[in-house]
Amino acid sequence: MERIIFLTFLIPFCLWSQNPLDQKPDALSLALGGTAVARIDAWSGINNSAALAFLETNYLSSSHRQVFGIKALQKSSLSANFSSFGKQVAFSLEYFGFEYFNQSKFMLAYGQRISKSIALGLRLGSEFYHIEAGSSGWVPSTEFFLFGKSGPKLQYGLAIKNPFSRKLSPEYHLKPSSYSIGLLYHFKAELNFTFEAESTWKESLLLMSGLEYEIRQGLFLRFGSNYREQLNFSGGVGLQWEKLRISLSYLQSNAWGSEMCIDLNLQF
């Protein structure tokens, strides 16, 4: 039954407008409404590679996400950033789908400071796709980023994804160009606010916001929301213990049901 439902209704939806492979992979971003381009953390290699230029710690990160509340639909991601020749670089692998339809994405990322407070980032790789009784193949993927700081309280980011390509196959539009701009404001050490706006080709504007509060050292509480024609809410918790970080999140979508995500970050 899940196969019939997905092939009939969800494949066109995923491929045209709400492709989960292009969404943020980590539980922290999901809990904060989808915001991520203005943040420096273990997932910067995917969310904003320019922020790698400000990251001094190496991480190995993995996440697992149940999409649309459908058991068969999973999204898994693996990311690692490390220092090479004195610079921070990252690689990532993302997978979404199930037996009859799936996509995977392998990318390499790099960030370079152009001043003390501004950096540029580039992420290059390939996206592979498989559709039962349809086409399979791959296409190059290109993403550009900017990250900056304005004083100790404000961070901002910009992302331009796939400006040169919109189609993975003749049958489906899988890679719409998208543009995101976001900010993160530190009210104080334990409280910050994030906001992000994303424009995708032939879609209405997506607005996202989130609030994170550190209840006590190493314990975080997060709330978020996003709006594109309808309002959705999300939330989550995070725990940091020495070199291990764990995040859990939950999103309630009025259109497609719930999404849950867990991610792990190990510092090395």
Side-chain angles (χ1 to χ4, degrees), residues 113-132:
R113 291 196 195 192
I114 58 175
S115 73
K116 290 184 178 181
S117 59
I118 299 177
L120 298 177
L122 178 64
R123 192 166 174 246
L124 299 172
S126 298
E127 186 170 331
F128 303 85
Y129 65 96
H130 167 74
I131 304 170
E132 186 183 67

Side-chain angles (χ1 to χ4, degrees), residues 210-235:
L211 194 67
E212 180 182 55
Y213 179 66
E214 188 174 7
I215 302 174
R216 60 179 65 181
Q217 186 175 5
L219 180 60
F220 300 87
L221 187 62
R222 298 153 181 159
F223 299 98
S225 65
N226 62 62
Y227 179 81
R228 176 186 277 157
E229 299 177 355
Q230 62 179 358
L231 185 62
N232 302 309
F233 294 97
S234 59

